Amino acid sequence: MPRPENIRLCREIAAQGMVLLENDREMLPLAPCSCAFFGTDQEKMRFYAGGAVSVTTARYYVGAVEGLANAGFSVDQEMLSRYRGQEAYLPSQEVIDAAARCNELAVMILTRYTGEGEDHACYPGDFLLWEQERELLDRIGKAKFRKTLFLINCGAMIDLKPFHDFPGRKAMLLVWLPGMEGGNAIADLVTGKVNPSAKLPDTVGVDCASYPGTDLFRRHPWRVDYSEGIYMGYRYFDTFAPEKILYPFGFGLSYTAFSIHPVPAEDRGEEIAFCAEVRNSGKCAGREVVQWYLAAPGTDDLERPEKMLAAYGKTPLLHPGESCTVEASMRWQDAAFFDDRPGSADCGCWVLSAGEYGFSCGSYSRSTVPSGTIFRREKRVLQHCGILLQETTERRLTRKGAVDLHPSWDTLHDTEPEPPPRTRLPHLKEVANGDLAMAQFLKMLTVDELIHLLHAQGAAFPHGTAGIGNLPRLGIPNAQTCDAAAGLHISTEAVAFPCCVLLASSWDTVLQERYGKALGQEAYDYGCDVILGPGVNLHRTPFCGRNGEYFSEDPLLSGRTGGAVIRGLQSEGIAACLKHFAANNRETNRRQCDSIVPERALRELYLKSFEYAVREGDPLTVMASYGLINGRHTTANYHLLTTILKKEWKSRAVVMTDWRCLSSHLEEILAGCHLRMPLVPDDQEYVKVREAFDTGLLSRARLELLAGELLEFLMQTRSFKGGRETPQHVLKKDGITKIDALAFSEITATRTKIFPCHDPAGSAKGVCHGKLCRDYGGNDPRITFIVSSENPGETCTYRFRIRAAVPGNQVRVLYYLDRELLGELPLRSTFPAAEIKEDFVYDTWETQGDEEITLSPGPHELMIRITDPDNLGVSLNYLEFTAEI
């Protein structure tokens, strides 16, 4: 059951993250009045992004209509009824004029879908308005409404100029994807119960063509050229095209006014300190975001953008006349540039150039005042990294033009002799208690066990994402992962929080950390160990389908927001998984898309957001992206995963792939990737890894290195510390033992469903029903049970059967003991396949099988694999074991 305080937090976050972009003649705040809603989107307002981050199981969702009604607004029911159930209704001018005579306020909602696996485009109905939407906007403008409110409901930026140019008295609120309490939060802002304080995390251009990189976004199906280099977002607009800015980066209106008086920036050796006095000079209480920007010196052949965000801070709630001091800082290292110029003496280095570093301070990027300068007399080389991520782009946006080509590199190889066979089963708790060194524990594992650890396991509950570890006989838990960018993506009730770009728009790290804690509490309550998030990829263009799941176009704002969420999550004992590492800025063909990025742009932008998040949050896991960077899969890039993440940034994170990536598992292991997500023992990539070991291409030392780091992580999870017990079943040494089909330790099936048991003869509490279907990778469903004999010192033999309902004659059930295939259970069809319907509960039960298995002393993994070529679905009631005398 979701915690009530987390639902209240949903409303608070939504109100703090919605950006007020227009407020003509102080139209807002409004006392409750009569209003008419327009636009077909009022009935399909979106609250979360699509794909793996969707939260479809919230108890309720409050839309804008309901939210304003809850706040006392009188909603025109006749206008609502005209839209109800219609996909493309456009009211006539006469109908709108009539509504204007009866209502003081017109409310138009514009909604756009955003989600995983899909990108946006500069088309009507996507980035651009439909012609019908433009016509509606024009008709509302011609009507005599006293006030008009626009609610922009999206997860990625769209064309806002038509609303900006609207002729009447208007207000525009960018509500993003606001979560389950979104409508109530909108009402809080409209009525002034909450004073808006959010700021844009992106620059809004005047049109589609204004953004750099948009012309190359879809030009090639498998390749994206980052020819704009370091000039992305406001770095581009402020340097090359300030006239193309509609709303600047960091912009957002308030109902009150603030005066910001910065003191000169102070050089404190390794960092620069900032301070500003902020006073509420308006008429109501509110909060302000103070932003500092750096203008760094360049040279004729080394360019710097006009400005970059250096630091920021947010005031507490200030009442009229009240003031406070906001302090912040930045490291000198973050003011450096990365030199990737061929032939330069500093090529491959982070460099602080000599010259004047100018600072400015204000409420957004285009509204700042000078806040001091610091002059550095000498150039300083801070760190020599080398050119590690080969660039193959043919052109790059500079003021003079340049072409860089860099040499390739080789992967790591190592060797070590095989240890002697073990004489006993080790247990991971021996390592945790200090009774056994990790190195000794690893030497006692077989090669197959080491390889087993380096790929995902089945979930411990239906609709779970995947497990990690899962060697219970060795004390290694099956730690559970879960998608959760804005709430848990699970099959039971969960809190639907606002989307990540809304969270970043608050510019409030305290609030963001509270969000992380709340999400961690939800995860803990539902038995999760790892949250697959946050994502800190940058909004390179408005078109990436996952922009709603990411934070900002700026690496500092993205990284600090991500770091705050990570701290909150991990304070609750839940591991964060920072993703998607790196340069995942297009979803189209994401598994094969090659991002061709200059190394300097990678270092200063696309990797920098991850570096900030690692520094500020120390995530326990990191997820590599699907695609390639400069010709190499990120999951198989040694320099990215090991040299940069582990060695340069000192990260302790376990690295995993995204689901069903296309890179080689062997190359992933050589590059330092700990986990293939997911993989099963008969997968060809699994087989290739074993063959590589057998032929000497892969050493045991490499397997032990990654497995050891993975086990160090697993010992920190709640599953290992006792948060969730792995179901273990002791079989009677005489008589019959029945095991509930739902008492499994892991399940690998994508669309598994649980129904009540309808078998009068059955003792199980429910039916494990897969449709026990194949997963998205085409693998058969598997269910694993941990079993042992009642007498731990004896080897016992059992007759093994299942109670099941089987469609047709095509289904096969294979059974494995400790991952080794033992045989196949003989089955009989219990009903004809022609009678099967979607979500039908099959209750034609029959005891099936009757095979013999022998258990040696100790716990064992009994895995059932169901092969169902027609994907019709199998119901499983219970397992039955009869001891042989």
Side-chain angles (χ1 to χ4, degrees), residues 440-498:
Q440 294 174 299
F441 182 87
L442 292 168
K443 295 298 180 190
M444 298 175 73
L445 300 186
T446 67
V447 171
D448 286 332
E449 288 168 341
L450 291 171
I451 296 175
H452 167 96
L453 289 173
L454 303 187
H455 66 267
Q457 306 302 306
F461 47 85
H463 291 266
T465 310
I468 300 173
N470 195 32
L471 287 172
R473 63 185 181 277
L474 303 178
I476 299 173
N478 188 16
Q480 296 299 294
T481 65
C482 186
D483 282 309
L488 300 185
H489 182 69
I490 55 177
S491 58
T492 53
E493 188 177 330
V495 174
F497 290 95

Side-chain angles (χ1 to χ4, degrees), residues 389-461:
L389 306 171
Q390 180 186 359
E391 179 192 347
T392 56
T393 186
E394 296 178 356
R395 60 190 180 92
R396 174 193 310 183
L397 178 62
T398 71
R399 301 176 194 187
K400 293 185 177 181
V403 175
D404 293 348
L405 297 174
H406 303 299
S408 60
W409 47 269
D410 296 321
T411 53
L412 178 71
H413 298 276
D414 49 14
T415 58
E416 189 167 302
E418 182 80 9
R422 66 185 177 209
T423 56
R424 68 177 182 88
L425 281 178
H427 199 283
L428 190 57
K429 283 191 175 179
E430 295 178 88
V431 179
N433 296 335
D435 299 327
L436 188 66
M438 178 62 78
Q440 294 174 299
F441 182 87
L442 292 168
K443 295 298 180 190
M444 298 175 73
L445 300 186
T446 67
V447 171
D448 286 332
E449 288 168 341
L450 291 171
I451 296 175
H452 167 96
L453 289 173
L454 303 187
H455 66 267
Q457 306 302 306
F461 47 85

Side-chain angles (χ1 to χ4, degrees), residues 250-267:
F251 173 80
L253 297 176
S254 171
Y255 299 150
T256 190
F258 296 92
S259 59
I260 300 175
H261 301 285
V263 300
E266 180 184 352
D267 186 354

Side-chain angles (χ1 to χ4, degrees), residues 166-359:
F166 183 81
R169 189 181 181 190
K170 62 182 180 293
M172 177 162 51
L173 193 61
L174 181 57
V175 304
W176 301 114
L177 305 174
M180 61 190 295
E181 282 284 328
N184 288 329
I186 290 170
D188 290 341
L189 291 168
V190 169
T191 60
K193 183 178 179 180
V194 175
N195 191 343
S197 62
K199 304 287 186 176
L200 283 173
D202 298 334
T203 308
V204 180
V206 296
D207 56 28
C208 178
S210 301
Y211 299 89
T214 57
D215 59 328
L216 299 174
F217 186 75
R218 291 177 181 268
R219 181 171 294 182
H220 194 284
W222 317 114
R223 172 185 172 117
V224 179
D225 286 285
Y226 290 59
S227 59
E228 74 278 5
I230 61 170
Y231 295 112
M232 184 270 289
Y234 68 88
R235 288 167 166 81
Y236 165 79
F237 284 101
D238 288 343
T239 305
F240 291 100
E243 75 284 356
K244 294 184 179 181
I245 298 174
L246 188 65
Y247 299 108
F249 175 78
F251 173 80
L253 297 176
S254 171
Y255 299 150
T256 190
F258 296 92
S259 59
I260 300 175
H261 301 285
V263 300
E266 180 184 352
D267 186 354
R268 293 185 178 174
E270 294 301 312
E271 67 176 23
I272 307 119
F274 304 109
C275 181
E277 186 78 12
V278 183
R279 182 175 181 272
N280 185 340
S281 54
K283 298 179 180 180
C284 62
R287 302 179 69 191
E288 178 64 298
V289 177
V290 184
Q291 304 167 35
W292 284 271
Y293 291 87
L294 164 66
T299 63
D300 288 342
D301 63 342
L302 194 290
E303 300 175 6
R304 304 297 296 272
E306 287 296 311
K307 65 179 63 171
M308 56 182 277
L309 184 65
Y312 62 91
K314 193 166 187 176
T315 70
L317 186 70
L318 297 178
H319 292 276
E322 284 187 337
S323 61
C324 73
T325 299
V326 177
E327 297 180 340
S329 64
M330 77 174 294
R331 302 188 315 167
W332 270 113
Q333 184 158 343
D334 295 325
F337 68 88
F338 187 83
D339 193 341
D340 65 352
R341 297 170 294 172
S344 168
D346 300 321
C347 186
C349 297
W350 284 101
V351 181
L352 272 174
S353 54
E356 185 176 276
Y357 289 77
F359 300 94

